[in-house]
Amino acid sequence: MKEVSCKDITTAVKAMAIEMSYLLPNDVRKRLEKLRADEDWDLAKTVLDSILENADIAKNRKIPMCQDTGMVVAFVEIGQEVKIVDGFIEDAINEGVRQAYTEALLRKSVVADPVLNRENTKDNTPAVIHYIMKPGDELKIMVAAKGFGSENMSQLKMLKPADGIEGVKDFVLKVVEEAGPNPCPPIVVGVGIGSSFDKVGFLAKKAVMRDMDTKNSDPRYAALEEELLDKINKLGIGPQGYGGRGTCLSVMIETYPTHIAGLPVAVNINCHATRHREVTF
């Protein structure tokens, strides 16, 4: 039985939350540079140059790459042989978020009540926390900062099985086309397929945080990822909506078994600044 202290969890979450605000992940950087190299529309080139310059300034000065420093989403993969000590894991994660957003002067964007009393919590807590039980004695925590310019463009639809794969493709393309320039393209598209109404959104969010250098383990879905990426980039929305080839950096799909009468599909959109970090204990 491995013991993991809540103090160590708080320290790790704080460090990750601060770092991800100014440090663009390597896989994202590589995709942006490739889009820039392949682009032939001058305005799109200029926009991509500005995005890359902004990332460099953020990294060198250690200041947020975007004013929307996001709502924190945490994915906690916890082995059944792990014992959390010295506190409650959820409190530890939220304390790390609280310290990061307060001490690093990151924008606090969370309101306590979604409708009736939208008063700011003033420390960007609580985080949205997903727990995934695993065998073994490892604890892995990924934290992501999800801005809502892109989050608001995400959609979920309960398709009919008869809609099939073409229905899935049509829905994904419809969501991206309706989003247009609003999520600050080039975007990252996470697609969840299957499971149930409540879980398919989780699948899409999990997909959008996957390393862009990876493909779905099922070659059929890996091929669908590439097909959708090609179709999205042919929409011509382009960087920041000014036209060009570079609308989307990556499409990533996660699936789960579903009911014979269902075909749930969720599309989670992220801006190019797919901010996330992870730690393993």
Side-chain angles (χ1 to χ4, degrees):
M1 180 71 71
K2 177 188 286 185
E3 292 189 351
V4 180
S5 167
C6 280
K7 181 179 179 181
D8 291 339
I9 292 172
T10 293
T11 299
V13 169
K14 175 184 176 181
M16 292 189 292
I18 293 173
E19 186 177 78
M20 69 185 177
S21 72
Y22 65 79
L23 199 56
L24 197 66
N26 289 332
D27 58 330
V28 179
R29 176 92 195 194
K30 286 192 299 184
R31 291 288 178 118
L32 284 168
E33 290 173 346
K34 186 177 187 308
L35 279 187
R36 173 62 178 82
D38 294 343
E39 186 57 72
D40 54 11
W41 173 239
D42 286 341
L43 185 53
K45 290 180 182 179
T46 300
V47 173
L48 289 167
D49 285 340
S50 295
I51 288 173
L52 289 166
E53 181 184 6
N54 179 73
D56 289 338
I57 293 170
K59 177 182 178 180
N60 294 332
R61 296 178 59 186
K62 294 187 177 181
I63 56 176
M65 66 184 79
C66 177
Q67 50 84 25
D68 183 355
T69 49
M71 185 175 191
V72 174
V73 180
F75 296 87
V76 181
E77 296 185 10
I78 182 166
Q80 64 179 0
E81 301 300 325
V82 173
K83 180 180 181 182
I84 308 299
V85 298
D86 302 326
F88 178 44
I89 186 172
E90 201 150 306
D91 291 340
I93 292 171
N94 279 317
E95 181 58 27
V97 173
R98 180 179 296 108
Q99 291 180 17
Y101 278 74
T102 301
E103 295 177 24
L105 303 178
L106 305 178
R107 196 183 84 180
K108 294 114 183 137
S109 303
V110 176
V111 294
D113 183 276
V115 180
L116 302 178
N117 179 18
R118 292 179 62 87
E119 183 177 349
N120 199 297
T121 62
K122 299 181 175 60
D123 59 10
N124 220 57
T125 67
V128 176
I129 305 175
H130 300 286
Y131 296 97
I132 305 162
M133 291 299 301
K134 294 282 184 79
D137 64 354
E138 279 192 349
L139 171 65
K140 181 190 291 184
I141 300 176
M142 174 190 283
V143 291
K146 193 66 172 70
F148 267 57
S150 58
E151 189 79 348
N152 285 340
M153 297 298 103
S154 304
Q155 295 186 38
L156 185 158
K157 189 173 180 64
M158 303 299 289
L159 297 177
K160 301 182 295 295
D163 293 322
I165 190 64
E166 294 304 319
V168 172
K169 293 177 191 177
D170 290 346
F171 178 61
V172 174
L173 291 171
K174 168 183 170 292
V175 173
V176 173
E177 195 161 19
E178 289 180 357
N182 293 317
C184 294
I187 58 175
V188 181
V189 178
V191 181
I193 307 174
S195 66
S196 55
F197 176 86
D198 53 307
K199 185 163 182 172
V200 72
F202 161 78
L203 293 174
K205 180 63 62 65
K206 185 169 178 281
V208 85
M209 298 303 166
R210 208 174 78 205
D211 189 307
M212 293 183 195
D213 294 330
T214 65
K215 298 181 181 296
N216 190 289
S217 59
D218 185 327
R220 299 170 301 171
Y221 286 109
L224 181 58
E225 290 173 340
E226 290 302 315
E227 180 184 347
L228 285 170
L229 177 62
D230 181 64
K231 289 179 181 294
I232 289 170
N233 281 329
K234 286 178 178 176
L235 292 174
I237 297 168
Q240 299 299 307
Y242 290 116
R245 298 179 178 180
T247 299
C248 184
L249 296 172
S250 182
V251 176
M252 291 171 283
I253 298 171
E254 294 290 327
T255 66
Y256 195 85
T258 192
H259 190 279
I260 56 172
L263 181 54
V265 182
V267 180
N268 190 230
I269 294 180
N270 209 357
C271 65
H272 75 272
T274 306
R275 298 163 290 184
H276 58 86
R277 286 289 180 275
E278 68 178 53
V279 64
T280 300
F281 295 91

